[in-house]
Amino acid sequence: PNVRRLPRLARHVIGVALQDAAGGNPACYRTAETWWKTREDFEADMASEEWQTIADDGFMPMVAGLEIVVYEVETEWTPEDDS
């Protein structure tokens, strides 16, 4: 995908929904996460020529229900943190 051409991108995850918590049909069937190491890296990529290419390629507008939400990690825990 074009998103992997972003120069400062640290991680790109694509998920496919299997079912909702009750075992039924999920409200959406795919998800994607993009990660950057810093807010500055994110902002630089959003202002980049590579991002403009992504915006212009037609994929985002054709995805039904596309919603982009920007999060900042507040807390992250792993089992290794307890050792």
Side-chain angles (χ1 to χ4, degrees), residues 3-83:
V3 72
R4 294 182 183 173
R5 294 183 182 146
L6 294 169
R8 296 160 197 85
L9 185 68
R11 184 176 179 195
H12 180 226
V13 179
I14 298 173
V16 177
L18 303 176
Q19 61 188 31
D20 67 14
N25 292 325
C28 61
Y29 90 103
R30 294 193 80 104
T31 186
E33 293 182 8
T34 48
W35 292 68
W36 286 264
K37 292 185 184 210
T38 67
R39 178 67 185 220
E40 291 79 17
D41 285 349
F42 166 76
E43 289 174 0
D45 272 356
M46 294 301 102
S48 72
E49 183 177 310
E50 290 88 353
W51 178 255
Q52 190 59 53
T53 298
I54 293 166
D56 292 342
D57 75 5
F59 176 73
M60 291 193 300
M62 76 173 194
V63 177
L66 175 67
E67 183 175 341
I68 296 175
V69 179
V70 177
Y71 293 93
E72 188 169 289
V73 175
E74 180 178 355
T75 304
E76 183 174 354
W77 176 89
T78 66
E80 294 79 23
D81 293 337
D82 288 343
S83 54

